[in-house]
Amino acid sequence: NRTSVGGGMVNLVNGVNNPGTELAGVVTEEVAGGVVRFPLLRIGCPGVGFRLEFSYRRWMYGPLLSASRDVVQQSLAFDVLPNAPHIASVAFDASFTALAFTFDRPTDRGNLGLSSFSCHLLVHSFVTFNATSGEYTQTQACEGATPGDPAAAAGCAKSHAVLGEAEPRCAWEDDETVMMQLGYNAQVALYDNILLRGTEAGGL
């Protein structure tokens, strides 16, 4: 923090192997109350190996003029990576027997490969709407009930009923679209929510 003889400063240092990474704006800010903020900083492209460099500047001719700087500490290296892909749209296919989940950009397919897989590897839970009661009900997705556990068995039955009588299968159509094949008598409808794993907080 600022004192009568100096003040703490933090400088953002670019990584050494960041071709194309662009730092724009003010990269050095003063510490205030033990916290430093960079309101005028913009990182134009993702990169790796960034560091925060803390220093203490001693005022030589007053706080508004240039001062000597003693570097005290550098942080561990950290990366600034792009946000993970987000769901851009969910729609029934032309036959209303499958759901197409389309992401806003190419993905790594969740490391699930090219073949079909159980949709329960992808789905976290369902929030279904009852038009009669006007209420929403959340049901956890599951692959199978624990033997001897009636409550778990009932929950799995509801889970499977949403997407059909048979266990639903999913497959990547391309790097941006995954298809969810619905089973017979699937109960998923408009206004229902399907929460994918990793998006439980917001759902789809």
Side-chain angles (χ1 to χ4, degrees):
N1 293 342
R2 178 190 290 262
T3 68
S4 60
V5 295
M9 308 293 292
V10 175
N11 180 51
L12 177 62
V13 181
N14 202 346
V16 295
N17 295 313
N18 278 336
T21 298
E22 176 186 330
L23 293 180
V26 180
V27 298
T28 302
E29 292 288 353
E30 187 173 339
V31 179
V35 177
V36 63
R37 295 179 172 85
F38 294 88
L40 302 178
L41 172 67
R42 179 179 179 273
I43 300 178
C45 295
V48 298
F50 292 96
R51 292 179 185 272
L52 292 175
E53 179 186 84
F54 175 82
S55 62
Y56 188 81
R57 289 187 174 183
R58 294 169 296 182
W59 312 127
M60 297 177 64
Y61 307 106
L64 299 179
L65 301 178
S66 177
S68 64
R69 185 176 67 161
D70 298 324
V71 174
V72 177
Q73 185 68 52
Q74 279 197 343
S75 71
L76 297 175
F78 62 91
D79 303 334
V80 178
L81 302 178
N83 292 330
H86 289 78
I87 293 288
S89 66
V90 182
F92 285 102
D93 68 350
S95 64
F96 291 92
T97 60
L99 289 172
F101 295 83
T102 303
F103 291 83
D104 60 353
R105 57 184 179 276
T107 71
D108 62 1
R109 303 194 179 200
N111 298 317
L112 293 174
L114 300 176
S115 60
S116 66
F117 54 91
S118 169
C119 289
H120 293 295
L121 296 175
L122 184 68
V123 176
H124 173 267
S125 58
F126 313 95
V127 181
T128 54
F129 179 69
N130 187 315
T132 303
S133 65
E135 297 179 347
Y136 284 91
T137 302
Q138 183 167 358
T139 303
Q140 192 85 8
C142 61
E143 292 188 57
T146 304
D149 188 342
C156 281
K158 290 180 181 179
S159 171
H160 286 297
V162 174
L163 299 182
E165 296 175 359
E167 180 181 354
R169 303 294 296 176
C170 286
W172 286 95
E173 187 172 80
D174 52 47
D175 288 345
E176 297 180 21
T177 306
V178 60
M179 299 298 297
M180 177 183 291
Q181 187 66 45
L182 302 175
Y184 292 112
N185 297 319
Q187 298 175 14
V188 65
L190 293 176
Y191 306 112
D192 289 346
N193 291 323
I194 300 176
L195 283 71
L196 301 187
R197 298 189 184 279
T199 61
E200 299 92 334
L204 303 178

